Amino acid sequence: VDDLQGRIAVVTGAGSGIGRGVALALARSGADVVVADRDSGRVASVVEELTALGSDSVGVVTDVSDASSVERLADAAYARFGRVHVLVNNAGVASTGTTWASPLDEWARVVGVNMWGPVNGVRSFVPRMLSGGQPGHVVNTSSMAGLIAATLTGAYTTSKHAVVGLSKCLRAELQGLGAPIGVSVVCPGGVATAIMDDELVRTRETGRRLPADAQEMFDHLKQTVDGGISGEAAGEIVTDAIRANRFWVFPNSEDYLALLEPEHDEMRSCVSAQK
Ligand SMILES: NC(=O)c1ccc[n+]([C@@H]2O[C@H](COP(=O)([O-])OP(=O)(O)OC[C@H]3O[C@@H](n4cnc5c(N)ncnc54)[C@H](O)[C@@H]3O)[C@@H](O)[C@H]2O)c1
């Protein structure tokens, strides 16, 4: 979608951080934006910001981990605008802990938002976008954790690797159909957002204490996030990728790409050692 003027965009997790940044950048480019977030106060405040920019913006409180909630989001977007050109599956949550010790309900929560969120978005919107026959673009927010693995982030890393797989598959399928719908997968490095602070509030509310190793990783990630680029800067980078139809998007993460090479070397050396 090279010209966003008058296009309709739906952004999940648009109440804060990268999602809000994408919503603002899309509105500045002339798009009308449906703001979806589970937090109604954030939805209202971002809709106000977008409206002030001249965007015909509407908010829909949505839980992306719930397929019926995402279906209602699609119903609301199509009822209001009759078409959707850009879908940004961005809502996500953080989590730390060893793969084996993270509680099952924590695995379910993280995979529910980070993996099922984009799956639900694709399932509710892509068939309607295809039958609309108009140019379109789907953005899925993964992470550098979608490509490389650190320790103590098993649920998060697993969910974000799934988003890369989903995005590759979706792109191949849409290309196979010759559909005018592009796909991008966003793999940010540090972006200064509410993601770790929200997690702090949540763990306090649940009264759960992280084990020492998970707490240490949490503090390290919080530092990376707090020292990152702004959500608005990330939003501009994502919006530029939509316009240019670039698949891979690396806001503040280009330095991490070198970490992919040792993995490829290891794959090749394992193959040569294979009998
Ligand atoms: N901030 C970073 O450094 C960073 C790095 C890599 C990837 N990411 C990814 O970027 C995306 C955006 O995160 P952010 O950093 O802007 O965080 P953020 O917390 O500032 O924004 C995320 C928004 O998603 C909403 N949300 C959470 N669960 C939801 C649900 N079930 N349904 C609907 N909305 C929900 C939250 O209310 C929040 O407004 C996430 O997918 C995250 O994993 C962020």
Side-chain angles (χ1 to χ4, degrees):
V1 182
D2 51 3
D3 183 3
L4 290 162
Q5 188 65 44
R7 303 294 189 182
I8 311 301
V10 176
V11 183
T12 73
S16 171
I18 299 171
R20 171 179 167 274
V22 174
L24 287 170
L26 288 168
R28 286 193 193 103
S29 307
D32 294 326
V33 184
V34 179
V35 173
D37 200 288
R38 66 171 173 196
D39 183 318
S40 58
R42 288 178 178 177
V43 167
S45 109
V46 174
V47 166
E48 206 174 299
E49 285 185 280
L50 297 175
T51 307
L53 289 172
S55 175
D56 183 5
S57 175
V58 59
V60 183
V61 175
T62 306
D63 177 357
V64 298
S65 67
D66 173 357
S68 58
S69 178
V70 177
E71 191 65 17
R72 284 195 296 277
L73 168 65
D75 289 345
Y78 277 83
R80 172 71 180 255
F81 294 108
R83 63 211 189 283
V84 168
H85 302 97
V86 177
L87 168 67
V88 183
N89 290 309
N90 160 83
V93 291
S95 174
T96 58
T98 42
T99 44
W100 58 85
S102 290
L104 262 190
D105 60 350
E106 180 65 359
W107 271 94
R109 180 184 77 94
V110 175
V111 171
V113 181
N114 295 0
M115 187 197 84
W116 283 107
V119 171
N120 290 334
V122 166
R123 288 179 47 82
S124 286
F125 282 89
V126 171
R128 303 188 207 211
M129 289 167 78
L130 280 170
S131 62
Q134 300 201 7
H137 204 90
V138 179
V139 177
N140 295 322
T141 307
S142 177
S143 167
M144 274 319 285
L147 295 169
I148 53 178
T151 55
L152 290 153
T153 56
Y156 185 78
T157 295
T158 301
S159 67
K160 292 299 186 178
H161 271 64
V163 174
V164 170
L166 169 71
S167 307
K168 287 179 176 176
C169 204
L170 178 65
R171 173 170 67 158
E173 289 169 352
L174 290 170
Q175 280 176 347
L177 287 179
I181 301 176
V183 178
S184 296
V185 60
V186 186
C187 301
V191 182
T193 69
I195 193 164
M196 303 310 286
D197 294 330
D198 277 7
E199 196 45 32
L200 271 179
V201 171
R202 197 188 65 83
T203 39
R204 267 191 213 123
E205 278 170 3
T206 55
R208 199 181 257 165
R209 284 191 57 140
L210 287 177
D213 54 359
Q215 185 61 52
E216 208 173 300
M217 178 49 101
F218 184 94
D219 296 342
H220 167 72
L221 290 176
K222 180 161 162 47
Q223 253 180 22
T224 306
V225 166
D226 290 349
I229 61 172
S230 70
E232 292 193 35
E236 290 290 346
I237 294 169
V238 173
T239 301
D240 199 47
I242 296 171
R243 264 197 226 95
N245 191 19
R246 278 193 298 273
F247 182 70
W248 296 106
V249 192
F250 293 109
N252 200 27
S253 48
E254 49 278 22
D255 292 349
Y256 293 100
L257 286 181
L259 297 172
L260 291 170
E261 281 153 30
E263 192 158 56
H264 291 161
D265 291 344
E266 186 192 8
M267 287 178 190
R268 277 187 285 269
S269 81
C270 287
V271 167
S272 17
Q274 238 167 247
K275 290 278 176 307

